[in-house]
């Protein structure tokens, strides 16, 4: 489980809990307040007030009608028992109820109040106009209002709205949590990879690289890690090479010293033997001595090469016009290889390297001599210079047979070769010198079908310029 991802999720939950709770509380109290001001309670209160007012009015009207009915001047509508068959229904109902008197509402919507009173002759009915107030309609409206209030209360609006609000807030919160988990996973996974890559690298897994392709900070961190890993790998290889070179140089110095000590007495002894030889055998001895001396001279040349290989030339870094160095070397070497065609593709921006002039000239001489040897009199050589992002590139291409598999394997390692030309030390000296200038030599893609070498040197002004390895 990714700890970073979990932390991001916990941070989200912690940072949103408070606002969500606050929003819920505010919404719920607003709801409470608006429900408190709600029409239902108003309606409830109003209907109660109107009902009690109407009741008082009704009682008052009843009292007035009863009082009026006691006044002998007040005329009643009489329903004699003899005509009971023609009585209207309310009168009949009253008569059948056996009560002494009864108030009923009559007229349109109950806008009249009737008092029916039982007499010995039948029923007397007194009527009073309620001044346009329809008591029956009014009471049915009260009833409806009461029912409405009851129904609204039964529905428990507050609980329903609170529940909806809680569900809504929880829904929004959960919906925003899902993309957060996805984003947290996307952020934490490459960081985990990066951490694993760094841990692996620290444990010695120099080949470990991370999958690039993201266009954000994490992607840039991955690119930086891969670049750093490449750079460290290159630096480690260079360091290993220079360390090997130091031990090879030590060996070469000792070997040269020992050989030199033996070669001089061998040559002197052979010459002495020849001088003391009787005249009859002299011709044979002269020939034998010639062979020995020639081999000794070859060995002496090799000893000089070993000494040169073991030497530590002073490294004086300076600004170097690479195009000028190329022009100088080509004009110097061209006459020695008359048939070979030389062409240059030089960067017009005049790349300037920070390197030791003698070392760069030595490197270029070695590469050009090898190229001329490989290309032969009818062959061609191409020299390219280019200012690149990470330094000045100098390439030498030839149309020769290319590198043999044996040579390719041990190209930059010093070898003791007994072939006629060459000592087998040129490329290792060239690489050591390039490394001393803070650059390197590698084999590159051939443009003329033969071999191709690429020298990288720090550019004047580039970040790591002037810091020889
Ligand atoms: P040498 O003094 O023998 O030339 P180098 O170190 O310069 O030593 O070269 C080592 C070997 O690399 C050469 O013997 C040759 O086999 C191979 N080599 C170098 N340059 C070229 C080239 N341009 N084409 C083919 N082979 C090459």
């Amino acid at each position: 489980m990714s700890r970073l991802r979990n932390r991001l999720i916990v941070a989200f939950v912690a940072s949103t809990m408070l606002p969500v709770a606050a929003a819920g509380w505010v919404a719920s109290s607003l709801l409470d307040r608006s429900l408190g001001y709600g029409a239902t309670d108003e309606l409830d209160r109003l209907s109660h007030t109107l009902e009690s007012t109407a009741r008082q009015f009704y009682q008052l009207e009843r009292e007035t009608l009863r009082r009026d009915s006691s006044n002998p001047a007040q005329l009643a509508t009489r329903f004699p028992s003899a005509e009971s068959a023609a009585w209207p229904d309310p009168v009949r109902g009253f008569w059948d109820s056996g009560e002494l008197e009864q108030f009923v509402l009559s007229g349109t919507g109950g806008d009249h109040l009737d008092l029916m009173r039982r007499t010995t002759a039948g029923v007397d009915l007194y009527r009073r106009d309620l001044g346009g107030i329809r008591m029956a309609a009014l009471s049915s409206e009260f009833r409806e209002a009461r029912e409405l209030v009851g129904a609204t209360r039964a529905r428990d609006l507050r609980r329903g709205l609170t529940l909806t609000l809680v569900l809504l807030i929880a829904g929004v919160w959960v919906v925003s949590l899902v993309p957060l988990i996805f984003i947290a996973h996307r952020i934490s996974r490459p960081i985990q990879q990066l951490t694993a890559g760094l841990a692996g690298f620290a444990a010695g897994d120099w080949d470990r690289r991370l999958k690039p392709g993201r266009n954000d900070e994490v992607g840039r961190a991955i690119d930086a890690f891969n670049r750093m890993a490449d750079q460290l790998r290159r630096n480690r290889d260079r360091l290993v090479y220079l360390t090997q070179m130091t031990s090879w140089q030590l060996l070469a110095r000792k070997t040269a010293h020992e050989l030199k000590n033996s070669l001089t007495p061998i040559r002197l002894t052979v010459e002495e033997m020849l001088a003391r030889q009787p005249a009859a055998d002299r011709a044979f001895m002269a020939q034998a001595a010639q062979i020995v001396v020639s081999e000794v001279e070859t060995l002496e040349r090799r000893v000089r090469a070993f000494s040169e290989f073991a030497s530590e030339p002073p490294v004086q870094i300076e600004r170097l016009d690479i195009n000028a160095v190329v022009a100088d070397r080509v004009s110097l070497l061209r006459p020695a290889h008359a048939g070979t065609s030389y062409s240059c593709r030089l960067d017009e921006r005049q790349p300037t390297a920070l390197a030791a002039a003698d070392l760069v000239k030595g490197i270029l001489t070695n590469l050009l001599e090898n190229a001329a040897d490989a290309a032969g009199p009818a062959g061609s050589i191409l020299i390219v210079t280019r200012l690149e992002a990470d330094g000045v590139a100098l390439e030498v291409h030839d149309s020769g047979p290319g590198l043999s598999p044996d040579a390719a394997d041990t190209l930059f390692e010093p070898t003791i070769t007994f072939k006629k030309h060459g000592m087998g030390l040129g490329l290792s000296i060239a690489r050591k010198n390039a490394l001393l200038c803070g650059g390197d030599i590698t084999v590159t893609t051939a443009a003329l079908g033969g071999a191709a070498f690429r020298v990288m040197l720090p550019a004047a002004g580039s970040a790591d310029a002037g810091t020889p390895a």
Side-chain angles (χ1 to χ4, degrees), residues 256-267 296:
H257 186 70
E258 295 301 324
L259 281 174
K260 209 158 76 190
N261 284 351
S262 303
L263 287 176
T264 313
I266 289 173
R267 180 207 276 263
V296 167

Side-chain angles (χ1 to χ4, degrees), residues 347-362:
D347 194 324
E348 287 172 1
R349 290 171 288 174
Q350 299 288 335
T352 306
L354 278 183
D358 288 346
L359 300 191
V360 175
K361 283 179 186 170

Side-chain angles (χ1 to χ4, degrees), residues 169-384:
I169 292 176
V172 169
W173 191 77
V174 168
V175 164
S176 52
L177 186 64
V178 171
L180 179 101
I181 292 174
F182 176 71
I183 290 168
H185 185 67
R186 259 182 74 84
I187 291 176
S188 68
R189 210 171 48 144
I191 291 180
Q192 261 181 310
Q193 288 175 347
L194 204 60
T195 316
L198 283 169
F201 210 80
D205 182 1
W206 294 81
D207 293 323
R208 187 181 281 234
R209 299 290 181 277
L210 300 178
K211 208 169 123 230
R214 290 172 61 112
N215 190 23
D216 54 12
E217 285 82 356
V218 177
R220 283 196 282 282
I222 287 175
D223 289 346
F225 169 81
N226 287 342
R227 273 202 308 279
M228 179 203 72
D230 285 343
Q231 187 71 38
L232 282 176
R233 174 84 206 233
R234 268 200 301 276
N235 285 348
R236 191 199 67 151
D237 290 349
R238 288 171 185 176
L239 204 65
V240 168
Y241 184 81
L242 283 174
T243 313
Q244 283 175 343
M245 200 69 174
T246 309
S247 42
W248 289 328
Q249 281 176 301
L250 198 69
L251 191 68
R253 193 177 296 126
K254 280 188 174 168
T255 310
H257 186 70
E258 295 301 324
L259 281 174
K260 209 158 76 190
N261 284 351
S262 303
L263 287 176
T264 313
I266 289 173
R267 180 207 276 263
L268 291 175
T269 309
V270 168
E271 283 170 358
E272 185 61 27
M273 280 165 61
L274 181 62
R276 292 189 187 186
Q277 201 60 31
D281 291 340
R282 189 157 289 181
F284 166 73
M285 265 315 278
Q287 198 182 4
Q290 178 57 43
I291 293 168
V292 173
V293 168
S294 154
E295 287 304 314
V296 167
E297 279 170 359
T298 307
L299 282 175
E300 282 173 340
R301 273 209 315 281
R302 209 164 296 283
V303 166
R304 277 198 297 279
F306 271 26
S307 303
E308 192 190 323
F309 174 65
S311 70
E312 293 286 354
V315 180
Q316 278 181 342
I317 300 292
E318 56 188 289
R319 293 173 68 87
L320 208 57
D321 180 346
I322 292 298
N323 287 357
V325 175
V326 169
D328 167 66
R329 287 295 102 178
V330 170
S331 64
L332 195 79
L333 298 175
R334 198 198 296 261
H337 307 278
T340 313
S341 106
Y342 287 83
S343 58
C344 298
R345 205 187 296 151
L346 306 181
D347 194 324
E348 287 172 1
R349 290 171 288 174
Q350 299 288 335
T352 306
L354 278 183
D358 288 346
L359 300 191
V360 175
K361 283 179 186 170
I363 295 168
L364 194 52
T365 306
N366 183 268
L367 293 181
L368 287 172
E369 285 294 336
N370 281 354
D373 283 351
S380 49
I381 296 173
L382 168 69
I383 301 113
V384 180

Side-chain angles (χ1 to χ4, degrees), residues 44-62:
D44 189 28
R45 250 192 319 276
L46 196 68
S47 66
H48 272 115
T49 313
L50 282 177
E51 190 181 16
S52 84
T53 311
R55 202 181 296 277
Q56 281 172 12
F57 174 73
Y58 180 71
Q59 290 301 337
L60 210 64
E61 288 301 311
R62 267 172 60 141

